[in-house]
Amino acid sequence: MTTTSGRGSDRDASPSRNPPGRRSPGPRRRLSRELIVESAIELVETEGLRALTMRDLGKRLGVAPGTLYTYVRDRRSLEALILDTVVSRDGPPHELPGPWWEKLEAWARDDWRTFQESPWVLELRLSVREFGPASITWLDSALRIFEGTDISPQTRLDMIDALDAYVRGAATIATQTSAEEGEEAPAREREQELRAAYEGSTTLRWALGEGAVPFGGASFDFGLRSLIAGFRAIAEEESGDRSRR
């Protein structure tokens, strides 16, 4: 309504509902299981998996912790949902370029990088036992890597399982080693025994003298190449057995 005095509207003359410089709050996103999972991922990405609690997650979402249990049964179920969401973001491994052994190697290296960059994903891979929808879809894609080969279904699954176990194991060791690097070395109570053992280990001393590095950073690459070479040998063996029948 406009005043006859020309001073402006009654609305202009009324005090502002919000203090100067403060924005009106926008609409809150509707709470859902998807929103809870996305917020949980943001939390663990910044603060780590140990920081994930229903109380802190509730604060982040602006709801009481008990409200979250309407959508998620418990923390273990939440962790399974987080992992399945992470898996859903991975590209289908069968769409990677190259023959089947190159696809396997590329998938393994992708997982290795993920575990190095986001150790919390590795923690979930080691602890979560539930198979979610995205994990089932991923496994189907992994089996499709072998399309066009005569590798048996069981051998295909065994190769996938062995490669996955190797990457997780190697990443676990690498993560533990990295965490221990900053720790103070324990007292060498058996230093003389160790020195004597080293002096008597002539082959080990020769290898080190040639520049070999025990437990070096290249061990992942060597182990991966060895596995892939073994897989190819097994595939050729299976193919030869079938041709002789």
Side-chain angles (χ1 to χ4, degrees):
M1 177 178 177
T2 305
T3 63
T4 57
S5 63
R7 294 180 182 178
S9 67
D10 291 338
R11 182 175 181 180
D12 294 337
S14 64
S16 173
R17 294 183 180 180
N18 296 302
R22 180 177 297 179
R23 296 174 58 189
S24 299
R28 179 183 295 177
R29 292 175 63 186
R30 185 175 182 180
L31 192 63
S32 64
R33 190 174 71 175
E34 290 74 20
L35 178 58
I36 292 172
V37 173
E38 288 297 333
S39 298
I41 291 175
E42 293 175 3
L43 177 61
V44 298
E45 282 181 337
T46 56
E47 302 182 35
L49 190 60
R50 294 184 180 181
L52 179 62
T53 66
M54 292 301 195
R55 181 182 299 276
D56 288 342
L57 187 56
K59 288 181 180 178
R60 180 177 285 260
L61 290 165
V63 300
T67 305
L68 301 178
Y69 292 104
T70 306
Y71 301 87
V72 181
R73 185 172 66 249
D74 51 29
R75 173 177 164 140
R76 181 172 296 181
S77 297
L78 177 58
E79 290 180 348
L81 289 169
I82 292 172
L83 180 58
D84 206 51
T85 300
V86 172
V87 172
S88 71
R89 297 172 178 174
D90 293 338
H94 76 276
E95 294 183 356
L96 291 167
W100 64 267
W101 57 88
E102 291 183 2
K103 295 178 190 285
L104 289 180
E105 182 174 347
W107 150 50
R109 292 189 183 280
D110 284 346
D111 272 8
W112 171 259
R113 281 191 294 270
T114 297
F115 296 153
Q116 296 293 299
E117 296 169 0
S118 303
W120 60 270
V121 177
L122 174 62
E123 291 183 61
L124 289 177
R125 286 293 313 279
L126 294 172
S127 61
V128 173
R129 294 291 178 264
E130 296 182 31
F131 240 60
S135 300
I136 293 173
T137 300
W138 182 93
L139 182 57
D140 178 75
S141 175
L143 284 169
R144 292 181 64 184
I145 287 175
F146 303 95
E147 287 180 341
T149 73
D150 55 1
I151 301 173
S152 70
Q154 186 60 59
T155 299
R156 299 181 188 194
L157 286 169
D158 288 344
M159 287 181 179
I160 293 169
D161 188 42
L163 189 56
D164 178 59
Y166 170 70
V167 177
R168 286 187 289 121
T172 300
I173 294 172
T175 301
Q176 292 173 343
T177 302
S178 177
E180 293 169 357
E181 284 179 351
E183 299 179 359
E184 186 176 347
R188 287 294 186 88
E189 299 174 353
R190 304 180 63 189
E191 186 172 353
Q192 291 184 346
E193 295 177 54
L194 292 170
R195 186 179 299 277
Y198 177 73
E199 292 297 330
S201 303
T202 55
T203 306
L204 173 60
R205 289 167 54 197
W206 165 79
L208 297 179
E210 292 294 317
V213 179
F215 316 114
S219 58
F220 173 77
D221 289 333
F222 178 80
L224 180 57
R225 293 199 312 270
S226 299
L227 265 179
I228 298 299
F231 291 167
R232 295 183 68 179
I234 291 172
E236 291 176 4
E237 181 181 329
E238 284 196 358
S239 179
D241 289 344
R242 287 187 177 87
S243 64
R244 287 191 293 271
R245 290 175 185 173

